[in-house]
Amino acid sequence: SEFDYEKMCVPFVPQNTKKNNDWAYKNFVSWRNARNLLNKENPCPEDLLEQPWDVVELSYWLPRYACETRTQDGKKYPAATVYSLLGGLLRRMRSVSLDCPNFLDTKDARFRD
């Protein structure tokens, strides 16, 4: 039936991946809110991860997020965990549109610095 066909066209996302994407987004929002409370003169935009994506803003804020995000007890995350967080954010953005900029692509000069 038509319903079954439409259901089959929806990409399957493993439950663990959904959980990681949600965790990454919640972690980012928590970091952004805490940072914005302390830095009212230069706040991270509320819509940074929403369309339309601003490559200049992403290349400014995501490195800061990667360096500044911490565990609940204030410790730095291991590098692999930070990469996992960034991957979760990218997957979340791609679930909205595949046209989102790939800030993890090392060949993209817009995100190298």
Side-chain angles (χ1 to χ4, degrees):
S1 75
E2 185 70 27
F3 174 77
D4 293 336
Y5 175 74
E6 288 178 12
K7 189 175 180 181
M8 290 175 59
C9 290
V10 174
F12 173 74
V13 179
Q15 192 61 35
N16 214 29
T17 301
K18 287 180 191 175
K19 187 177 174 182
N20 180 270
N21 296 351
D22 291 343
W23 170 64
Y25 183 70
K26 288 175 186 174
N27 180 274
F28 176 81
V29 169
S30 176
W31 167 82
R32 182 191 65 208
N33 292 342
R35 190 178 205 289
N36 286 353
L37 280 175
L38 298 173
N39 298 288
K40 294 183 188 298
E41 67 283 347
N42 186 24
C44 179
E46 294 282 324
D47 62 350
L48 181 69
L49 301 179
E50 309 302 325
Q51 284 184 303
W53 294 289
D54 184 331
V55 172
V56 173
E57 289 286 320
L58 286 170
S59 66
Y60 178 84
W61 287 109
L62 290 178
R64 282 158 181 76
Y65 163 67
C67 291
E68 296 173 7
T69 189
R70 297 288 185 268
T71 62
Q72 288 183 337
D73 61 359
K75 294 179 182 173
K76 282 187 169 186
Y77 283 109
T81 303
V82 172
Y83 190 82
S84 180
L85 286 165
L86 292 170
L89 294 178
L90 183 59
R91 283 190 301 272
R92 184 178 183 281
M93 291 166 65
R94 282 189 172 163
S95 72
V96 174
S97 172
L98 293 177
D99 292 331
C100 74
N102 183 355
F103 49 82
L104 294 178
D105 182 358
T106 57
K107 296 175 186 157
D108 189 336
R110 300 172 300 175
F111 299 105
R112 274 196 221 149
D113 292 337

